[in-house]
Amino acid sequence: MAKIKVTQVKSRIKCNKRQKRTLDALGLKKLNGTVEHEDTPNILGMIEKVKHLVRVER
């Protein structure tokens, strides 16, 4: 599987609890934090739910 980089580019302050938990599950704790994940359907689904807060690089 391919690797993707996920970077948080917007604040989580006004997000609902579900979106905050999704960011935590992705490993994003701080603004401009970057993590690498495998390109799996589970990860892509989580990214889809918080796509307005993150930037994805393949």
Side-chain angles (χ1 to χ4, degrees), residues 3 10 13 19 22-25 27 29-30 35 40-41 43-44 46-50:
K3 292 270 190 181
K10 287 195 175 181
I13 290 176
Q19 291 170 339
T22 302
L23 288 172
D24 288 339
K29 305 278 187 212
K30 294 183 178 180
V35 293
T40 62
I43 296 297
L44 294 176
M46 289 195 286
I47 291 171
E48 185 65 28
K49 294 296 183 181
V50 292

Side-chain angles (χ1 to χ4, degrees), residues 8-23:
Q8 182 179 348
V9 293
K10 287 195 175 181
S11 176
R12 62 167 56 202
I13 290 176
K14 292 198 176 194
C15 295
N16 60 31
K17 188 182 284 188
R18 194 172 195 177
Q19 291 170 339
K20 289 179 185 180
R21 287 182 182 170
T22 302
L23 288 172

Side-chain angles (χ1 to χ4, degrees), residues 6-10 28-35 55:
V6 184
T7 305
Q8 182 179 348
V9 293
K10 287 195 175 181
L28 297 168
K29 305 278 187 212
K30 294 183 178 180
L31 193 60
N32 295 320
T34 302
V35 293
R55 181 178 65 228

